[in-house]
Amino acid sequence: MLKKLPIDTYTFKSMMEEGYMYVDKTEIVYKLTHESKIAFLSRPRRFGKSMLCHTLKEYFSGNKELFQGLKIYDLEKDWIKHPVFFFTMSSLKDCSLESMKDNLMLFLDDYAEIYGDNENEKTPGARLRGLIKRSMENNGPKPVIIIDEYDAPLLNKLDKPELLEVTREFLQEFYQVIKDYEGNLR
């Protein structure tokens, strides 16, 4: 039986559940997750970065059943479920600064439903900091942060230096939290 070609999906979960063709690169995912603490992946457009991010999300979420029949299924012995913070920044590329902040706070709302909220966390960076702290409260597995298209909000502003600078400063406040928690993150 021929499998469907993945021309209309880019999430690992939907590909596995709906029977799409998938080139098994999970041995590389296993090596990446066991030999690297932080990974920065820079590849050309349409090269599978988003698919890899979604694969990592499912792996770190401990969704072993999605990997059945793939190399990593046998390589991984523990299948630990980590708190996973997954962000796709591409939706922020055409936003004003205020809209970017609102949308990022909305992304964080999903995690606040899981880890609790604090009304004193007024900026996305402060809120992410609080969510990371709360996700670590029970001394469980270390949280994982996956950011797809981290630079998308900046790329559309390269020809507008004044917007580029305020966007960079805004994102720096958010990304700085990740640097600050480096030792506490998987």
Side-chain angles (χ1 to χ4, degrees), residues 142-170:
K142 290 181 175 184
V144 172
I145 298 176
I146 301 168
I147 300 176
D148 190 15
E149 300 206 30
Y150 78 97
D151 59 348
L154 296 169
L155 292 178
N156 281 7
K157 296 173 180 71
L158 289 176
D159 60 341
K160 301 173 186 120
E162 65 287 345
L163 292 176
L164 180 65
E165 183 58 23
V166 295
T167 302
R168 187 196 62 75
E169 288 174 4
F170 171 78

Side-chain angles (χ1 to χ4, degrees), residues 75-93:
L75 290 172
E76 183 57 71
K77 303 300 180 210
D78 298 326
W79 290 99
I80 297 169
K81 181 180 171 82
H82 293 266
V84 176
F85 297 92
F86 182 87
F87 303 97
T88 301
M89 305 302 259
S90 62
S91 63
L92 303 179
K93 65 183 172 188

Side-chain angles (χ1 to χ4, degrees), residues 19-142:
Y20 284 90
M21 187 180 297
Y22 178 77
V23 176
D24 186 2
K25 299 179 203 162
T26 60
E27 184 174 5
I28 297 167
V29 169
Y30 181 82
K31 287 179 182 178
L32 176 72
T33 58
H34 286 78
E35 296 173 6
S36 302
K37 176 138 177 79
I38 296 173
F40 172 79
L41 305 168
S42 177
R43 307 295 287 169
R45 287 186 48 72
R46 311 300 310 155
F47 210 87
K49 294 180 300 294
S50 292
M51 175 58 72
L52 178 58
C53 287
H54 283 272
T55 304
L56 289 167
K57 175 186 174 193
E58 298 303 332
Y59 170 71
F60 282 118
S61 295
N63 293 327
K64 179 180 180 178
E65 68 283 352
L66 292 176
F67 294 89
Q68 195 163 14
L70 300 176
K71 188 77 173 172
I72 200 169
Y73 188 84
D74 296 322
L75 290 172
E76 183 57 71
K77 303 300 180 210
D78 298 326
W79 290 99
I80 297 169
K81 181 180 171 82
H82 293 266
V84 176
F85 297 92
F86 182 87
F87 303 97
T88 301
M89 305 302 259
S90 62
S91 63
L92 303 179
K93 65 183 172 188
D94 295 319
C95 294
S96 68
L97 192 60
E98 191 59 37
S99 179
M100 196 180 314
K101 177 185 176 191
D102 292 344
N103 284 320
L104 203 45
M105 292 297 269
L106 286 173
F107 290 167
L108 294 164
D109 280 348
D110 294 337
Y111 301 109
E113 289 180 23
I114 300 167
Y115 303 111
D117 207 359
N118 181 330
E119 62 186 35
N120 294 323
E121 298 163 356
K122 305 283 187 204
T123 67
R127 193 161 199 206
L128 178 61
R129 183 179 305 279
L131 288 166
I132 292 170
K133 282 182 184 178
R134 289 188 291 280
S135 76
M136 296 176 358
E137 282 178 352
N138 296 325
N139 294 322
K142 290 181 175 184

